[in-house]
Amino acid sequence: MSELNNIALKIISLGKGILAADESTGTMKKRLDSVNVVSTEENRLKFRNTLFSSESMKSCIGGVILYDETIKQNFNNTSIPKIILEKGSVPGIKVDTGAKILANSKDEKITEGLDGLRERLKIYYSLGARFAKWRGVYVISDSFPSKIAISTNAHALARYSALVQESGMVPIVEPEVLMDGTHSAETCLKKTSEVIKKCYEELILHKVELTGTILKPNMILPGSSSNKKISAEEIADLTLKCLTESVPSEVPGIAFLSGGQTEIEATKNLNAINKKNKSNFIMTYSYGRALQQSALKHWSKNLDDIEGTQKVFNHRANMCSLAAKGKWSEQIEKN
Ligand code: 13P
């Protein structure tokens, strides 16, 4: 078990975080469509390999979450997991098969992918993966997340986590309470706390060794349609309150998702969290959009500008890494 704790710490220590590059082919098509790039297998690989070969991988990216397509790809005859390993980073894999409509609560989702998971994990391990990700997704409204959504998704996250540890990998436990809606930050705090507490109740029931896990939660924010803006300090206070009250102390670290925040918001908020963090939890990033957006935009203008794209990505990764240490500032961001 200490081996799993070592892997978890390798991924999130020393100001490092996670690059979430595990968009499904459908989601990646949406991202590429938005910058007018055709979503071919070759283009998906080209963009992703550009990131994985960047200088900042060594100092800022402790782990990369891959999608099934990418973990099996090669670039210039080298496998993608090997390219990541050579940068000193740990290859990981998204293993859920997506969120589907939840029976008897059709406006909510349950994440699928448990059938045949043990066998799939063996293959991913042999391809080099040493950690995995599973995302449960919850919506906020007057009646949601419902008790059914909270308990079924927690149960699935626990069964997934137990299987991942059995296969020698670290599970990333991702219960994402979406920021869509008109709710207040206080409501987000209340509902996210309920969701996270239930996850740990199930993980403990399923005998998951918490020292060999990483939590990937949302930050506590007002709903994106609420027209309410609160400061990064208030976001940090609420997020720290939620996590210190809901997450067992054995969990080594917390790697936030960006969830639709801009790159700067996600960096600024993480920085504020780390400035105020008095807990023993490492608090870092596991960003998809907030690490990739500017790089993708730059790359879309000239698919052969590898160096320019890497420069944009390196800056973002360096800013996130500073935020993971509480050492980011708007001044540094601009220089
Ligand atoms: P975002 O940071 O874009 O929310 O993506 C992180 C992720 O992995 C969601 O599952």
Side-chain angles (χ1 to χ4, degrees):
M1 270 310 158
S2 70
E3 173 59 18
L4 294 182
N5 181 245
N6 287 342
I7 297 172
L9 291 175
K10 181 166 186 225
I11 297 170
I12 57 174
S13 296
L14 308 171
K16 289 188 187 182
I18 300 170
L19 167 61
D22 61 321
E23 298 86 356
S24 64
T25 305
T27 302
M28 199 57 191
K29 181 175 177 338
K30 272 189 229 154
R31 302 268 191 272
L32 292 171
D33 282 351
S34 75
V35 291
N36 299 314
V37 175
V38 189
S39 182
T40 59
E41 187 177 341
E42 189 192 347
N43 281 344
R44 292 192 290 273
L45 175 62
K46 193 167 179 175
F47 177 65
R48 285 169 165 159
N49 183 63
T50 300
L51 305 186
F52 306 158
S53 313
S54 299
E55 189 56 41
S56 56
M57 283 284 296
K58 280 196 175 127
S59 48
C60 305
I61 307 295
V64 179
I65 317 174
L66 299 167
Y67 183 58
D68 180 74
E69 175 184 85
T70 327
I71 200 170
K72 295 171 179 164
Q73 284 172 320
N74 293 298
F75 197 90
N76 288 343
N77 297 322
T78 309
S79 78
I80 290 293
K82 189 153 183 251
I83 289 171
I84 292 167
L85 267 174
E86 280 169 358
K87 291 284 182 192
S89 184
V90 183
I93 179 75
K94 184 231 296 289
V95 300
D96 68 65
T97 55
K100 310 286 160 57
I101 291 168
L102 177 60
N104 291 333
S105 188
K106 64 180 174 43
D107 294 320
E108 295 187 286
K109 301 266 176 71
I110 173 70
T111 301
E112 295 188 347
L114 288 170
D115 289 351
L117 180 58
R118 179 178 275 133
E119 290 68 35
R120 287 195 293 128
L121 290 170
K122 281 193 188 123
I123 297 169
Y124 290 137
Y125 187 94
S126 73
L127 290 169
R130 290 297 176 270
F131 75 101
K133 175 189 122 172
W134 179 289
R135 171 176 175 258
V137 56
Y138 309 80
V139 284
I140 294 185
S141 75
D142 288 345
S143 42
F144 297 151
S146 66
K147 289 246 178 302
I148 325 175
I150 293 174
S151 68
T152 49
N153 277 296
H155 176 83
L157 276 162
R159 284 189 57 199
Y160 139 83
S161 298
L163 284 166
V164 169
Q165 289 195 332
E166 181 191 275
S167 70
M169 298 191 272
V170 169
I172 295 208
V173 178
E174 181 178 7
E176 176 175 5
V177 181
L178 295 172
M179 60 195 269
D180 306 355
T182 55
H183 55 269
S184 65
E186 287 68 30
T187 301
C188 179
L189 168 66
K190 183 168 166 270
K191 306 235 174 181
T192 303
S193 302
E194 201 183 334
V195 161
I196 292 178
K197 281 180 184 158
K198 187 66 184 175
C199 284
Y200 285 109
E201 194 184 306
E202 288 289 327
L203 260 71
I204 291 163
L205 184 70
H206 287 252
K207 301 187 165 41
V208 174
E209 177 53 57
L210 298 181
T211 58
T213 65
I214 297 169
L215 177 68
K216 175 163 173 164
N218 48 286
M219 293 180 193
I220 304 300
L221 304 165
S224 52
S225 311
S226 71
N227 294 324
K228 283 185 210 99
K229 277 263 173 227
I230 62 172
S231 68
E233 286 65 36
E234 286 170 292
I235 290 167
D237 286 336
L238 293 169
T239 302
L240 287 165
K241 178 174 165 57
C242 173
L243 297 171
T244 49
E245 289 176 4
S246 314
V247 183
S249 59
E250 294 92 329
V251 174
I254 292 167
F256 296 97
L257 56 96
S258 61
Q261 298 180 68
T262 65
E263 290 177 339
I264 303 292
E265 283 166 352
T267 311
K268 187 176 183 172
N269 292 336
L270 178 63
N271 189 59
I273 288 170
N274 275 301
K275 278 191 160 203
K276 286 172 177 267
N277 181 22
K278 291 197 177 64
S279 74
N280 288 325
F281 298 126
I282 294 170
M283 303 262 183
T284 187
Y285 48 94
S286 177
Y287 293 164
R289 285 161 286 180
L291 270 171
Q292 297 184 51
Q293 220 153 45
S294 297
L296 182 64
K297 217 181 210 171
H298 182 96
W299 177 73
S300 70
K301 293 185 191 119
N302 174 3
L303 307 196
D304 291 322
D305 184 10
I306 307 297
E307 206 178 306
T309 305
Q310 289 183 336
K311 203 170 157 203
V312 176
F313 176 71
N314 287 337
H315 176 69
R316 201 66 259 134
N318 280 314
M319 293 303 105
C320 286
S321 179
L322 284 173
K325 299 176 203 150
K327 291 184 173 160
W328 174 89
S329 69
E330 290 187 13
Q331 199 58 38
I332 298 175
E333 177 69 47
K334 283 182 203 131
N335 291 334

